[in-house]
Structure formats: structure tokens, C-alpha cells
């Protein structure tokens, strides 16, 4: 059982659709992250939230819109995506990085296919 | 900028044997942390082992151990007595306390054969 839960596990959407990915953590962490994992590429950090404040936007296109209403929940809103956005989207959480050891805990990911 | 390099895209090993996965990194910092994560076919990223850069002693967790060479900026993972359940993609990752985010290598796919 994971302390970080992502829904849905799989998502197929058209390029004109709007959908949202959800992440919830039950670990009492203050930092949450979105990563994109594409085939044959390293994990790409997309967004970082620390104490609900966005602290990093790693040059992500505006068709990806994050939302962090509280330290336990993180959303990724998707609209007018492209086929190259098809990937595994991973959510992670950690203690805030003022701590000595910042270990991230991951969800099982959402497999997104854009058609 | 910090970079992490895993030069072995794929590795294979026979059950019960030992395998070593390589990782090098580049940083000008002195205080940082290194991790190995495992991602099995279920896609769940699981922390395998971690190392604090200021500790000279290599970390061990049961069958998993690391060879941390700070001067060479090398952080390899040794898996002893390999088991079928070790089949997964393994990621090396780097983090600094003030940086807050993990930087990952490209990953190594490990297959354990019966």
C-alpha cells in the first residue's frame, strides 16, 4: 500500500478534451511534485509545491496547469494536449527541503495516452 | 546544474548471482544525498537505498549495498543473491538539502533470469 495515491491509473483523451489528474498523500508531507516519465528519457520534473506554494515550474507548456489546494492534494489539469504528451505522470511527496534528508515517496502514476 | 548519468541502459543477471549498476553524477556541492530507486512493472517507484555524502561508510540494506566514491562522483548499486522480484528499472537520483528536488538518471533496466 502506498502513502501516495494517484487517480486515474489510466487515461485516454482526445486533443480537445479537458481532464485532471489527482494526487493525494497521507504521509504528512509538505512538498509535492509532478514528474513526467517518457520512454527512453529521464524523469522530467514538471512542478514543485512546498507548503502549497508553487516553487518550481520547469518550463512546462501552459496546457499543463497544476493546482495545490492544500499540502495533501495536488492536481494536474490538462487541456488541448498533443500526442507527444503521452507518458506516465508520477506524483511524489516529501518533507519540506529544510530537513536534512529529502526522500521522495511516489504514487503509482497515471498512464496518459493522447489520441 | 546537477546531472546524473547511468551508462547501462540494460543489464541482466542469473538468479542468486551478484550484479552492479553504475551511476555517476556531477555537482560542485559538498553536502548532498544520493538514492537508488526501483520501478517494477507495477510502476511504483520504491526507495531501495540512500547515502549521505558526508558519510564515508557505504550504505547497506539487506542484499543491497552501494559503493560511494565521492572524489570520483560515483555511486554504484550492488545487488547480491539476485531474486526474480528484483527485475525492474533502477534509477539513481541526487538531491541537495537546499535544492528540494530529485534529479534522476536515465535508468537501467535489470532483468533477473531463473
Amino acid at each position: 500500500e502506498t502513502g501516495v495515491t494517484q487517480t486515474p491509473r489510466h487515461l485516454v483523451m482526445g486533443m480537445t478534451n479537458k481532464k485532471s489528474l489527482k494526487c493525494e498523500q497521507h504521509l504528512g508531507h509538505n512538498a509535492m511534485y509532478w514528474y513526467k516519465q517518457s520512454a527512453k528519457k529521464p524523469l522530467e520534473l514538471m512542478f514543485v509545491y512546498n507548503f502549497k506554494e508553487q516553487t518550481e515550474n520547469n518550463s512546462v507548456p501552459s496546457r499543463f496547469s497544476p493546482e495545490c489546494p492544500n499540502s495533501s492534494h495536488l492536481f494536474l489539469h490538462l487541456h488541448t494536449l498533443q500526442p507527444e504528451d503521452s507518458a506516465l505522470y508520477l506524483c511524489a511527496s516529501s518533507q519540506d527541503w529544510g530537513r536534512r534528508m529529502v526522500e521522495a515517496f511516489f504514487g503509482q502514476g497515471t498512464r496518459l495516452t493522447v489520441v | 546544474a546537477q546531472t546524473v548519468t547511468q551508462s547501462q541502459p540494460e543489464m541482466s543477471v542469473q538468479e542468486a548471482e551478484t550484479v552492479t549498476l553504475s551511476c555517476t553524477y556531477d555537482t560542485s556541492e559538498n553536502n548532498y544525498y544520493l538514492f537508488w530507486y526501483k520501478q517494477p512493472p507495477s510502476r511504483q517507484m520504491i526507495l531501495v537505498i540512500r547515502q549521505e555524502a558526508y558519510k564515508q561508510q557505504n550504505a547497506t540494506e539487506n542484499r543491497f549495498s552501494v559503493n560511494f566514491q565521492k572524489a570520483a562522483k560515483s555511486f554504484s548499486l550492488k545487488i547480491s543473491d539476485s531474486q526474480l522480484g528484483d527485475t525492474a528499472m533502477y534509477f539513481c537520483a541526487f538531491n541537495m538539502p537546499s535544492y528540494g528536488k530529485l534529479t534522476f538518471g536515465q535508468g537501467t533496466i535489470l532483468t533477473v533470469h531463473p
Side-chain angles (χ1 to χ4, degrees):
Chain A
E1 183 179 341
T2 175
V4 181
T5 304
Q6 289 186 242
T7 54
R9 293 290 308 277
H10 302 271
L11 178 63
V12 180
M13 59 185 291
M15 289 189 284
T16 58
N17 292 157
K18 290 185 179 180
K19 297 287 184 183
S20 296
L21 310 185
K22 179 182 177 182
C23 177
E24 184 175 2
Q25 58 95 3
H26 310 277
L27 301 169
H29 291 162
N30 296 309
M32 296 188 78
Y33 313 78
W34 280 117
Y35 282 88
K36 176 183 179 182
Q37 186 178 13
S38 306
K40 301 187 185 302
K41 293 177 70 174
L43 272 76
E44 302 172 58
L45 179 67
M46 300 176 71
F47 301 105
V48 181
Y49 279 82
N50 198 33
F51 291 97
K52 301 188 297 178
E53 297 298 319
Q54 183 177 316
T55 55
E56 179 120 6
N57 176 338
N58 204 21
S59 302
V60 180
S62 59
R63 57 185 183 270
F64 295 91
S65 175
E67 179 189 2
C68 187
N70 53 62
S71 293
S72 299
H73 294 85
L74 184 65
F75 295 89
L76 188 61
H77 304 300
L78 315 171
H79 65 97
T80 59
L81 293 192
Q82 304 298 312
E84 59 265 29
D85 297 323
S86 298
L88 179 68
Y89 289 84
L90 291 166
C91 174
S93 72
S94 70
Q95 298 282 9
D96 66 275
W97 52 72
R99 306 298 181 106
R100 288 181 61 235
M101 177 74 78
V102 183
E103 169 189 334
F105 293 80
F106 285 82
Q108 291 185 287
T110 296
R111 174 69 67 188
L112 174 67
T113 303
V114 181
V115 297
Chain B
Q2 287 72 34
T3 60
V4 179
T5 302
Q6 293 177 250
S7 59
Q8 305 154 313
E10 294 187 45
M11 296 277 286
S12 63
V13 64
Q14 291 296 125
E15 196 174 9
E17 294 187 347
T18 296
V19 64
T20 298
L21 308 183
S22 300
C23 173
T24 57
Y25 58 94
D26 186 26
T27 183
S28 58
E29 299 293 325
N30 195 49
N31 184 27
Y32 51 87
Y33 305 106
L34 295 161
F35 307 87
W36 277 98
Y37 279 86
K38 167 185 176 181
Q39 187 181 37
S42 67
R43 306 184 328 212
Q44 181 76 52
M45 291 276 277
I46 303 165
L47 180 68
V48 174
I49 199 166
R50 58 189 169 214
Q51 174 81 40
E52 300 176 52
Y54 65 88
K55 288 188 176 179
Q56 290 188 322
Q57 185 174 5
N58 289 323
T60 62
E61 288 286 343
N62 300 313
R63 298 183 294 106
F64 299 88
S65 62
V66 298
N67 183 4
F68 174 49
Q69 300 290 329
K70 191 171 184 179
K73 298 180 181 175
S74 170
F75 183 60
S76 61
L77 174 69
K78 185 172 83 172
I79 306 174
S80 304
D81 186 25
S82 297
Q83 300 176 0
L84 297 179
D86 295 332
T87 292
M89 179 169 278
Y90 287 81
F91 291 94
C92 178
F94 171 98
N95 165 259
M96 293 187 303
S98 59
Y99 202 44
K101 60 186 181 184
L102 286 169
T103 301
F104 286 87
Q106 304 92 323
T108 297
I109 299 173
L110 175 67
T111 304
V112 181
H113 297 287

